[in-house]
Short mmCIF file of all heavy atoms in Angstrom, two decimals:
data_model
loop_
_atom_site.label_atom_id
_atom_site.label_comp_id
_atom_site.label_asym_id
_atom_site.label_seq_id
_atom_site.Cartn_x
_atom_site.Cartn_y
_atom_site.Cartn_z
N ALA A 667 -10.96 17.20 -7.37
CA ALA A 667 -12.40 17.35 -7.20
C ALA A 667 -13.16 17.08 -8.48
O ALA A 667 -14.35 16.72 -8.45
CB ALA A 667 -12.72 18.76 -6.69
N ASP A 668 -12.47 17.23 -9.63
CA ASP A 668 -13.16 16.95 -10.92
C ASP A 668 -13.05 15.49 -11.32
O ASP A 668 -13.46 15.10 -12.42
CB ASP A 668 -12.57 17.84 -12.03
CG ASP A 668 -11.10 17.57 -12.29
OD1 ASP A 668 -10.50 16.70 -11.61
OD2 ASP A 668 -10.54 18.22 -13.19
N GLY A 669 -12.49 14.65 -10.46
CA GLY A 669 -12.41 13.21 -10.71
C GLY A 669 -11.15 12.74 -11.39
O GLY A 669 -10.96 11.52 -11.58
N ARG A 670 -10.25 13.63 -11.71
CA ARG A 670 -9.03 13.20 -12.38
C ARG A 670 -8.09 12.55 -11.37
O ARG A 670 -7.73 13.14 -10.35
CB ARG A 670 -8.33 14.38 -13.07
CG ARG A 670 -9.19 14.98 -14.17
CD ARG A 670 -8.48 16.10 -14.93
NE ARG A 670 -9.41 16.74 -15.86
CZ ARG A 670 -9.70 16.30 -17.10
NH1 ARG A 670 -9.14 15.18 -17.53
NH2 ARG A 670 -10.56 16.95 -17.83
N LEU A 671 -7.66 11.33 -11.70
CA LEU A 671 -6.85 10.54 -10.78
C LEU A 671 -5.44 11.11 -10.69
O LEU A 671 -4.79 11.42 -11.70
CB LEU A 671 -6.77 9.08 -11.27
CG LEU A 671 -8.04 8.26 -11.11
CD1 LEU A 671 -7.95 6.98 -11.95
CD2 LEU A 671 -8.27 7.90 -9.65
N THR A 672 -4.95 11.22 -9.48
CA THR A 672 -3.56 11.64 -9.25
C THR A 672 -2.76 10.56 -8.54
O THR A 672 -1.53 10.59 -8.58
CB THR A 672 -3.53 12.91 -8.40
OG1 THR A 672 -4.23 12.69 -7.17
CG2 THR A 672 -4.17 14.07 -9.14
N ALA A 673 -3.44 9.61 -7.89
CA ALA A 673 -2.72 8.55 -7.16
C ALA A 673 -3.52 7.27 -7.26
O ALA A 673 -4.74 7.26 -7.01
CB ALA A 673 -2.55 8.96 -5.70
N ILE A 674 -2.85 6.18 -7.62
CA ILE A 674 -3.48 4.86 -7.71
C ILE A 674 -2.62 3.88 -6.91
O ILE A 674 -1.44 3.65 -7.22
CB ILE A 674 -3.59 4.37 -9.16
CG1 ILE A 674 -4.47 5.34 -9.98
CG2 ILE A 674 -4.17 2.97 -9.21
CD1 ILE A 674 -4.54 5.00 -11.46
N GLY A 675 -3.24 3.29 -5.89
CA GLY A 675 -2.57 2.25 -5.10
C GLY A 675 -3.36 0.96 -5.15
O GLY A 675 -4.58 0.97 -5.00
N HIS A 676 -2.69 -0.12 -5.40
CA HIS A 676 -3.34 -1.42 -5.49
C HIS A 676 -2.44 -2.46 -4.81
O HIS A 676 -1.38 -2.82 -5.35
CB HIS A 676 -3.59 -1.80 -6.94
CG HIS A 676 -4.48 -3.00 -7.14
ND1 HIS A 676 -5.01 -3.36 -8.36
CD2 HIS A 676 -4.95 -3.94 -6.26
CE1 HIS A 676 -5.75 -4.43 -8.22
NE2 HIS A 676 -5.71 -4.80 -6.94
N ASP A 677 -2.83 -2.91 -3.65
CA ASP A 677 -2.14 -3.98 -2.93
C ASP A 677 -3.00 -5.21 -2.97
O ASP A 677 -4.21 -5.16 -2.65
CB ASP A 677 -1.87 -3.58 -1.48
CG ASP A 677 -0.84 -2.45 -1.36
OD1 ASP A 677 0.10 -2.42 -2.19
OD2 ASP A 677 -1.01 -1.60 -0.47
N SER A 678 -2.43 -6.34 -3.34
CA SER A 678 -3.19 -7.56 -3.51
C SER A 678 -2.49 -8.74 -2.87
O SER A 678 -1.26 -8.87 -2.96
CB SER A 678 -3.40 -7.84 -5.01
OG SER A 678 -4.16 -9.01 -5.22
N TRP A 679 -3.29 -9.60 -2.19
CA TRP A 679 -2.75 -10.79 -1.55
C TRP A 679 -3.43 -12.02 -2.13
O TRP A 679 -4.66 -12.04 -2.26
CB TRP A 679 -3.01 -10.74 -0.05
CG TRP A 679 -2.20 -9.72 0.70
CD1 TRP A 679 -1.05 -9.93 1.39
CD2 TRP A 679 -2.51 -8.32 0.84
NE1 TRP A 679 -0.60 -8.75 1.94
CE2 TRP A 679 -1.49 -7.75 1.62
CE3 TRP A 679 -3.54 -7.49 0.37
CZ2 TRP A 679 -1.47 -6.38 1.95
CZ3 TRP A 679 -3.53 -6.17 0.70
CH2 TRP A 679 -2.51 -5.62 1.48
N SER A 680 -2.65 -13.03 -2.47
CA SER A 680 -3.21 -14.32 -2.86
C SER A 680 -2.28 -15.40 -2.32
O SER A 680 -1.16 -15.10 -1.86
CB SER A 680 -3.33 -14.45 -4.40
OG SER A 680 -2.07 -14.29 -5.02
N GLY A 681 -2.74 -16.64 -2.34
CA GLY A 681 -1.95 -17.72 -1.80
C GLY A 681 -1.70 -18.81 -2.83
O GLY A 681 -2.42 -18.95 -3.82
N ASN A 682 -0.65 -19.61 -2.57
CA ASN A 682 -0.34 -20.68 -3.51
C ASN A 682 0.58 -21.69 -2.85
O ASN A 682 1.11 -21.44 -1.75
CB ASN A 682 0.33 -20.12 -4.77
CG ASN A 682 -0.05 -20.90 -6.01
OD1 ASN A 682 -0.40 -22.07 -5.95
ND2 ASN A 682 0.01 -20.25 -7.18
N LEU A 683 0.80 -22.81 -3.53
CA LEU A 683 1.79 -23.76 -3.09
C LEU A 683 3.17 -23.08 -3.16
O LEU A 683 3.37 -22.12 -3.89
CB LEU A 683 1.79 -24.98 -4.02
CG LEU A 683 0.57 -25.88 -3.99
CD1 LEU A 683 0.65 -26.91 -5.12
CD2 LEU A 683 0.41 -26.58 -2.65
N ALA A 684 4.11 -23.63 -2.40
CA ALA A 684 5.47 -23.09 -2.44
C ALA A 684 5.99 -23.14 -3.88
O ALA A 684 5.88 -24.16 -4.57
CB ALA A 684 6.37 -23.92 -1.52
N GLY A 685 6.54 -22.03 -4.33
CA GLY A 685 7.04 -21.93 -5.70
C GLY A 685 6.01 -21.48 -6.71
O GLY A 685 6.37 -21.24 -7.87
N GLY A 686 4.74 -21.34 -6.29
CA GLY A 686 3.70 -20.91 -7.21
C GLY A 686 3.71 -19.40 -7.43
O GLY A 686 4.53 -18.67 -6.86
N ARG A 687 2.79 -18.94 -8.26
CA ARG A 687 2.74 -17.54 -8.66
C ARG A 687 1.60 -16.81 -7.94
O ARG A 687 0.69 -17.40 -7.43
CB ARG A 687 2.53 -17.41 -10.17
CG ARG A 687 3.63 -18.06 -10.99
CD ARG A 687 3.34 -17.91 -12.49
NE ARG A 687 4.40 -18.52 -13.28
CZ ARG A 687 4.39 -19.82 -13.63
NH1 ARG A 687 3.38 -20.60 -13.30
NH2 ARG A 687 5.38 -20.32 -14.35
N THR A 688 1.70 -15.50 -7.99
CA THR A 688 0.59 -14.66 -7.49
C THR A 688 -0.53 -14.63 -8.52
O THR A 688 -0.32 -14.89 -9.71
CB THR A 688 1.07 -13.21 -7.25
OG1 THR A 688 1.51 -12.65 -8.49
CG2 THR A 688 2.19 -13.14 -6.24
N GLU A 689 -1.72 -14.29 -8.07
CA GLU A 689 -2.80 -13.95 -9.00
C GLU A 689 -2.50 -12.51 -9.46
O GLU A 689 -2.49 -11.58 -8.65
CB GLU A 689 -4.14 -14.04 -8.32
CG GLU A 689 -5.32 -13.59 -9.17
CD GLU A 689 -5.56 -14.46 -10.41
OE1 GLU A 689 -5.29 -15.68 -10.33
OE2 GLU A 689 -6.02 -13.93 -11.43
N PRO A 690 -2.27 -12.28 -10.79
CA PRO A 690 -1.78 -10.96 -11.23
C PRO A 690 -2.84 -9.89 -11.34
O PRO A 690 -3.09 -9.30 -12.41
CB PRO A 690 -1.15 -11.29 -12.58
CG PRO A 690 -1.95 -12.45 -13.10
CD PRO A 690 -2.31 -13.27 -11.87
N THR A 691 -3.47 -9.60 -10.22
CA THR A 691 -4.62 -8.67 -10.19
C THR A 691 -4.27 -7.23 -10.59
O THR A 691 -5.14 -6.46 -10.93
CB THR A 691 -5.21 -8.65 -8.78
OG1 THR A 691 -4.14 -8.46 -7.85
CG2 THR A 691 -5.92 -9.95 -8.45
N THR A 692 -2.98 -6.87 -10.50
CA THR A 692 -2.60 -5.48 -10.78
C THR A 692 -2.43 -5.22 -12.28
O THR A 692 -2.17 -4.08 -12.68
CB THR A 692 -1.31 -5.14 -10.05
OG1 THR A 692 -0.27 -6.07 -10.40
CG2 THR A 692 -1.50 -5.17 -8.55
N LEU A 693 -2.52 -6.26 -13.12
CA LEU A 693 -2.37 -6.07 -14.56
C LEU A 693 -3.29 -4.96 -15.11
O LEU A 693 -2.81 -4.06 -15.81
CB LEU A 693 -2.62 -7.37 -15.30
CG LEU A 693 -1.46 -8.38 -15.39
CD1 LEU A 693 -1.95 -9.66 -16.03
CD2 LEU A 693 -0.28 -7.79 -16.18
N PRO A 694 -4.58 -5.00 -14.86
CA PRO A 694 -5.43 -3.95 -15.44
C PRO A 694 -5.18 -2.59 -14.82
O PRO A 694 -5.33 -1.56 -15.50
CB PRO A 694 -6.85 -4.45 -15.16
CG PRO A 694 -6.73 -5.31 -13.98
CD PRO A 694 -5.40 -5.98 -14.11
N THR A 695 -4.83 -2.57 -13.55
CA THR A 695 -4.59 -1.28 -12.87
C THR A 695 -3.44 -0.53 -13.51
O THR A 695 -3.39 0.70 -13.51
CB THR A 695 -4.29 -1.54 -11.37
OG1 THR A 695 -5.13 -2.58 -10.90
CG2 THR A 695 -4.48 -0.29 -10.56
N ALA A 696 -2.47 -1.27 -14.05
CA ALA A 696 -1.29 -0.67 -14.62
C ALA A 696 -1.58 0.14 -15.89
O ALA A 696 -0.85 1.08 -16.21
CB ALA A 696 -0.25 -1.75 -14.90
N LEU A 697 -2.67 -0.21 -16.63
CA LEU A 697 -2.83 0.33 -17.97
C LEU A 697 -4.17 0.95 -18.25
O LEU A 697 -4.33 1.60 -19.29
CB LEU A 697 -2.59 -0.80 -19.01
CG LEU A 697 -1.15 -1.34 -19.12
CD1 LEU A 697 -1.16 -2.60 -19.98
CD2 LEU A 697 -0.24 -0.29 -19.69
#
């Protein structure tokens, strides 16, 4: 209730050519 985070969930979807990479949107969420 005081705003302190206890759980962080981040699911992200992106598309690419076969063999390509994801867009690394979770990088900032991690730190």
Side-chain angles (χ1 to χ4, degrees):
D668 63 359
R670 297 184 187 276
L671 289 164
T672 57
I674 299 175
H676 190 168
D677 292 324
S678 180
W679 290 262
S680 59
N682 214 335
L683 294 171
R687 300 179 180 88
T688 61
E689 175 65 32
T691 49
T692 56
L693 277 174
T695 321
L697 292 170

